[in-house]
């Protein structure tokens, strides 16, 4: 019997039976920020992790497709743009899945107007209409263009409304699962994730083609999301943040819309966890059924985190986001043809720009690692490591200097977050460190993360087995918040690993020359954001740089082999994004970053700050010092996104220096990176929306 066959009376009995368990677990659920961590034998459906064995091959991908999994209507517009808009503009089809009905209290009120009566079905429908308006505008059509609306049959016997619109070869599909934010017995999405036996019902939006409600259990939602992935075969998946930062709420940092103890909405976290559990299940199912792993990458986005840290988008990009949100917010004065309402009126007009929470003014990745990470083989071929199909992979250049990668080689280790780094140790062996979803059970079961390492036996040779490195925190709830690994190899044979911790500090673990890993150690310092810059200077000393709330935090060795320790820097302005760093010949560090809400980056070195006025853009800036003749340090090479999200580089920091862009449009998924060789031999490596890495070789003599 499927989940829809139970009648209303049976559903009420099941919901009431679960209510006692729900009440008993409320305190633990709240403290855990919508994610259980303790193992429990009562968990009826544990996660099916990917096989640790590598996939033999990956599915061929003819067409790119972006799948976004959201908790509410507008999560994509606030938190996943401008990335989603840039992909849509580049011709990538977009499929958006909205898990909840977004009905809240059912009040759709424009600021400054009387409070209307509550109507949850109408408010849900008005938010759907707002999304149609926003995406029609993003497709270059009139906001009120009619969409093709129909009913989608999904696994478990559930149904959902789907809306489709296209223009000029570009298309958007909206799928509304419409699970009520508040089901019978005060059941919400966090309980559906956390507790066994929970049932939730859908809310039918006004004027929806769906006529009968559906019932969801925990596994129903996992199967539905995995089924949608299987139907549309995405090459890029966007999720919300499965492990949001802990947040102290006080007079300075009011709670606002956060869940207790965390910097995000209580629905965002479990929906992200459901998405990642479905990703692992789908990837495993496809590999078993088709003998080839699905080819896709994942990007997870921070949510209300945007309110708690300096804003990182310049005005031009914020205005781009605001146009879409304004179309979504709509107005009661609009004639959109939808009797239930023409948008989410509280988000209309200039409200997103004037709201003190500032969600629209930032876009932060949960995993800001550069993917893929490039190295070279002993024969000089470029090698890139990344996460594909939720496992580690290696791409190798078809021949030294060819500029083309061959087929990906699976290295296993999944399910992995898109947080992976790779270094070459003193013996020439490649060492990979990644972040694994070690448990994603839900329903009272385990929910844990761990850092894992993989290294070659010999340079260019086969790999050993994966090694678990744990996290700096023994408590699972804190361990979930571990940041992306960043590492550097030193000539003495060591590998220094650094991560951000749950308390927003810095921790390190060192692999000795004999291959043994030492214990985790916490380093002194203030609160930092994730996205660490780690480098080695000419004296083989380790340096670590991270963006803080009010300045850049810096750690370094006094001499090679010494402990890495905090080295406060004075006089630096507030960073808006992850800094790039380059060691100077005198042993100091030059930093490159944009100020909050700034488009122009500055080079900070020796007490001076030089603006790079032609290098406007957003996001982190990667910096590298090119080598000049005689072993001298040459000009800086800079890499970043421009204001349209495309890749750009610049040679030098002189006023006449201009950015260079590739001849064909390159819209990267996540953060691109560069690998510099001798002289001006530079390769920029990034990931395409088709889940394939690309190589661009800019030349200093190129013209923008």
């Amino acid at each position: 019997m499927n989940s829809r066959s139970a009648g209303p009376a049976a559903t009420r009995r099941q919901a009431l039976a679960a209510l006692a368990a729900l009440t008993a677990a409320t305190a633990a659920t709240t403290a855990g920020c919508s994610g259980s961590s303790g193992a429990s034998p009562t968990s009826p459906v544990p996660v099916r992790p990917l096989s640790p064995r590598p996939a033999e091959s990956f599915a061929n991908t003819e067409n790119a497709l972006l799948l976004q999994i959201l908790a509410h209507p507008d999560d994509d517009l606030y938190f996943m743009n401008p990335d989603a808009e840039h992909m849509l503009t580049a011709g990538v089809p977009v499929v958006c899945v909205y898990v909840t009905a977004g009905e809240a209290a059912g009040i759709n009120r424009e600021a400054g107007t009387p409070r209307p009566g509550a109507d949850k079905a109408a408010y849900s429908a008005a938010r759907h209409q707002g999304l149609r308006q926003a995406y029609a505008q993003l497709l270059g059509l009139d906001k009120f263009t009619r969409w093709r609306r129909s009913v989608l049959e999904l696994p478990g016997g559930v149904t959902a409304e789907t809306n489709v619109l296209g223009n000029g070869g570009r298309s958007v599909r909206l799928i509304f699962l419409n699970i009520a934010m508040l089901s019978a017995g005060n059941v919400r999405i966090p309980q559906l994730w956390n507790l066994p036996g929970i049932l939730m019902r859908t809310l039918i939006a006004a004027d929806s083609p769906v006529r009968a409600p559906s019932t969801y259990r925990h596994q129903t939602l996992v199967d539905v999301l995995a089924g949608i992935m299987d139907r549309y075969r995405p090459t890029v998946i966007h999720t919300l943040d499965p492990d949001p930062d802990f947040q102290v709420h006080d007079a300075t940092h009011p709670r606002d819309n956060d869940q207790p103890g965390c910097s995000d909405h209580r629905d965002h976290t479990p929906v992200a966890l459901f998405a990642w559990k479905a990703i692992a299940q789908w990837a495993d199912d496809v590999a078993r059924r088709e003998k080839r792993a699905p080819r896709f990458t994942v990007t997870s986005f921070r949510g209300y985190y945007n309110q708690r840290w300096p804003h990182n988008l310049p005005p031009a990009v914020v205005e781009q986001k605001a146009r879409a949100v304004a179309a979504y917010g709509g107005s009661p004065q609009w004639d959109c043809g939808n009797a239930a309402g023409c948008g989410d009126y509280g988000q209309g007009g200039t409200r997103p720009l004037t709201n003190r929470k500032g969600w629209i003014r930032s876009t932060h990745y949960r995993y800001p690692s550069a993917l893929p990470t490039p190295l070279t083989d002993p024969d000089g071929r470029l090698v890139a490591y990344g996460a594909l199909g939720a496992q580690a992979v290696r791409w190798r250049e078809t021949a030294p200097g060819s500029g083309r990668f061959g087929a990906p080689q699976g290295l296993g280790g999944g399910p992995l977050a898109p947080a992976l780094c790779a270094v070459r140790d003193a013996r020439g062996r490649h060492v990979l460190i990644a972040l694994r979803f070690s448990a994603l059970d839900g329903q009272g079961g385990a929910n844990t993360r761990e850092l894992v390492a993989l290294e070659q036996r010999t340079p260019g040779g086969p790999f050993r087995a994966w090694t678990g490195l744990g996290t700096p925190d023994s408590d699972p709830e804190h361990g979930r918040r571990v940041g992306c690994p960043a590492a550097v190899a030193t000539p003495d044979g060591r590998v220094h690993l650094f991560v951000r911790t749950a308390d927003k500090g810095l921790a390190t673990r060192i692999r000795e020359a004999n291959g043994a890993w030492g214990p985790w150690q916490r380093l002194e310092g203030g609160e930092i954001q994730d996205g660490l810059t780690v480098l080695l200077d000419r004296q083989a000393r380790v340096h670590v740089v991270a963006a803080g709330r009010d300045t850049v935090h810096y750690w370094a060795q006094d001499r090679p082999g010494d402990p890495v320790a905090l080295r406060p820097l004075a006089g630096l302005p507030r960073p808006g994004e992850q800094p790039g760093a380059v060691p100077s010949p005198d042993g100091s560090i030059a930093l490159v970053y944009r100020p909050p809400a700034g488009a122009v980056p500055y080079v900070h070195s020796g007490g001076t700050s030089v603006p790079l006025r032609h290098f406007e853009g957003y996001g982190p800036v990667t910096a590298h010092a090119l080598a000049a003749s005689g072993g001298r340090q040459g000009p800086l090479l800079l890499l970043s996104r421009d204001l349209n999200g495309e890749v750009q580089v610049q040679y030098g920091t002189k006023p006449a220096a201009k950015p260079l862009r590739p001849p064909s449009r390159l819209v990267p998924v996540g953060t691109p990176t560069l690998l510099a060789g001798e002289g001006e031999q530079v390769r920029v490596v990034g990931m395409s929306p088709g889940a394939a890495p690309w190589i661009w070789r800019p030349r200093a003599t190129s013209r923008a």
Side-chain angles (χ1 to χ4, degrees):
M1 181 182 296
N2 66 44
S3 60
R4 292 187 62 223
S5 61
T11 301
R12 282 195 297 274
R13 287 195 299 271
Q14 290 166 320
L16 291 172
L19 184 57
L22 184 159
T23 303
T26 297
T29 300
T30 300
C33 296
S34 300
S36 56
S37 295
S40 170
T42 63
S43 178
V45 187
V47 69
R48 286 193 284 133
L50 292 174
S51 168
R53 299 183 302 276
E56 293 183 3
S57 64
F58 287 81
N60 292 324
T61 302
E62 296 182 0
N63 299 304
L65 184 139
L66 168 63
L67 173 66
Q68 304 193 107
I69 301 174
L70 303 314
H72 315 110
D74 80 8
D75 288 343
D76 41 355
L77 304 179
Y78 272 110
F79 308 119
M80 298 178 179
N81 266 346
D83 290 48
E85 181 175 350
H86 289 155
M87 276 193 260
L88 181 60
T89 301
V92 178
V94 177
V95 177
C96 303
V97 180
Y98 303 93
V99 171
T100 77
E103 79 282 5
I107 305 296
N108 194 10
R109 183 170 73 95
E110 187 179 31
T113 63
R115 181 183 176 90
D119 188 333
K120 293 186 175 183
Y123 183 37
S124 179
R127 298 187 76 175
H128 296 178
Q129 174 61 25
L131 287 168
R132 290 190 287 267
Q133 292 164 181
Y135 277 103
Q137 180 176 282
L138 291 173
L139 283 167
L141 298 169
D142 183 83
K143 291 192 294 291
F144 307 135
T145 301
R146 292 179 62 86
W147 292 58
R148 180 163 53 88
R149 300 172 63 185
S150 59
V151 177
L152 191 64
E153 300 285 342
L154 294 167
V158 304
T159 57
E161 178 179 345
T162 182
N163 301 172
V164 180
L165 185 64
N167 182 35
R170 297 180 296 141
S171 67
V172 175
R173 177 183 293 272
L174 311 177
I175 300 174
F176 302 109
L177 303 186
N178 254 47
I179 300 174
M181 293 175 69
L182 186 64
S183 281
N186 292 322
V187 175
R188 299 180 183 271
I189 287 287
Q191 284 77 45
L192 188 67
W193 170 261
N194 275 309
L195 303 176
I198 293 295
L199 298 177
M200 294 191 74
R201 300 268 282 182
T202 60
L203 171 74
I204 298 178
D207 196 33
S208 173
V210 175
R211 299 304 180 196
S214 296
T215 300
Y216 277 81
R217 293 181 170 88
H218 178 104
Q219 191 59 34
T220 309
L221 182 51
V222 176
D223 291 343
V224 162
L225 295 177
I228 290 172
M229 294 171 195
D230 203 48
R231 181 189 295 247
Y232 297 106
R233 295 297 172 115
T235 53
V236 181
I237 299 175
H238 283 177
T239 83
L240 293 164
D241 184 353
D243 303 311
D245 274 4
F246 291 128
Q247 179 64 50
V248 174
H249 296 121
D250 52 23
T252 305
H253 304 284
R255 178 178 161 193
D256 293 327
N257 300 75
D258 291 347
Q259 60 189 295
C262 278
S263 63
D264 214 347
H265 192 281
R266 62 185 166 191
D267 292 347
H268 290 178
T269 308
V271 166
L273 291 167
F274 273 115
W276 273 103
K277 186 170 182 177
I279 286 168
Q281 176 173 306
W282 173 56
D284 189 50
D285 282 345
V286 172
R288 293 175 187 274
R289 183 176 70 238
E290 301 178 8
K291 309 306 179 186
R292 294 193 302 174
R295 184 191 297 257
F296 66 91
T297 61
V298 186
T299 305
S300 293
F301 293 82
R302 300 281 196 181
Y304 294 167
Y305 178 101
N306 293 359
Q307 179 181 350
R308 308 298 176 181
W309 291 88
H311 297 142
N312 70 349
L313 295 180
V317 180
V318 173
E319 289 170 9
Q320 176 185 345
K321 288 180 67 174
R323 285 193 291 271
V325 177
Y328 160 77
S331 168
Q333 282 74 50
W334 288 5
D335 183 13
C336 66
N338 184 48
C342 297
D344 185 355
Y345 301 148
Q347 308 303 321
T350 61
R351 174 66 175 165
L353 294 172
T354 57
N355 190 328
R356 65 174 178 79
K357 299 168 189 175
W359 299 332
I360 201 170
R361 298 185 180 277
S362 293
T363 298
H364 285 284
Y365 297 143
R366 171 60 178 87
Y367 310 107
S369 294
L371 287 177
T373 300
L375 296 173
T376 53
D377 256 3
D379 63 359
R381 283 193 292 183
L382 188 65
V383 179
Y385 293 97
L388 188 69
Q391 67 168 293
V393 295
R394 175 174 65 176
W395 292 272
R396 302 178 72 194
E397 207 173 9
T398 54
S402 72
R404 297 187 305 275
F405 284 116
Q409 174 195 358
L411 301 175
L416 297 180
L420 182 149
C421 68
V423 297
R424 183 173 54 244
D425 71 9
R427 292 176 55 187
R429 300 171 300 182
H430 291 179
V431 180
L432 281 64
I433 304 167
L435 177 60
R436 173 189 283 164
F437 287 90
S438 47
L440 266 174
D441 294 356
Q443 307 170 96
N447 185 13
T448 58
R449 314 290 175 261
E450 68 171 336
L451 291 154
V452 290
L454 181 71
E455 67 175 67
Q456 289 177 320
R457 294 180 183 275
T458 57
F463 287 87
R464 302 180 188 273
W466 285 91
T467 299
L469 302 179
T471 71
D473 294 287
S474 58
D475 174 69
E477 275 297 320
H478 285 74
R480 283 175 52 194
R481 273 78 188 173
V482 68
C484 297
V488 66
T490 52
D492 60 7
R494 292 174 170 172
V495 173
H496 294 254
L497 166 64
F498 300 92
V499 294
R500 183 188 191 237
T501 64
D503 60 4
K504 309 177 184 67
L506 184 67
T508 184
R509 192 169 184 183
I510 300 173
R511 195 207 71 171
E512 299 295 339
N514 64 3
W517 286 89
W520 284 105
Q521 303 174 56
R522 293 177 181 273
L523 303 182
E524 293 182 0
E527 292 188 344
I528 59 173
Q529 296 197 73
D530 205 6
L532 308 174
T533 300
V534 183
L535 64 149
L536 207 63
D537 67 17
R538 292 186 177 185
Q539 288 75 44
R541 296 175 300 183
V542 176
H543 302 259
V544 184
V545 177
R549 296 187 182 277
D550 300 310
T551 188
V552 173
H553 295 261
Y554 171 58
W555 295 261
Q557 291 175 319
D558 285 332
R559 292 180 299 275
D562 282 359
V564 175
L566 181 65
R567 299 287 184 265
L569 298 173
L572 286 174
R574 194 181 197 196
E577 189 53 273
Q578 174 184 350
V582 175
S584 299
D586 63 1
S588 64
I589 292 289
L591 301 174
V592 188
Y593 59 90
R594 295 183 173 91
V600 174
Y602 286 73
V603 179
H604 305 280
S605 177
T608 63
S609 297
V610 178
L612 305 175
R613 302 195 184 279
H614 298 296
F615 204 58
E616 288 190 318
Y618 70 94
V621 179
T622 301
H624 178 79
L626 295 171
S629 60
R632 296 178 295 106
Q633 183 167 302
L636 289 185
L637 173 66
L638 307 169
L639 165 68
S640 184
R641 292 176 183 250
D642 66 15
L643 291 172
N644 294 316
E646 299 177 41
V647 175
Q648 60 178 350
V649 300
Q650 181 170 301
Y651 288 84
T653 59
K654 295 180 179 179
K658 297 290 181 65
L660 310 175
R661 297 181 178 90
S664 59
R665 189 169 187 232
L666 290 179
V667 176
V669 175
T671 305
T673 190
L674 58 83
L675 185 68
E678 297 297 327
E680 294 184 347
Q681 182 185 7
V682 174
R683 288 155 291 188
V684 179
V685 180
M687 185 69 71
S688 75
W694 46 258
I695 304 170
W696 172 40
R697 297 173 180 269
R699 304 297 182 189
T701 55
S702 300
R703 294 290 181 264

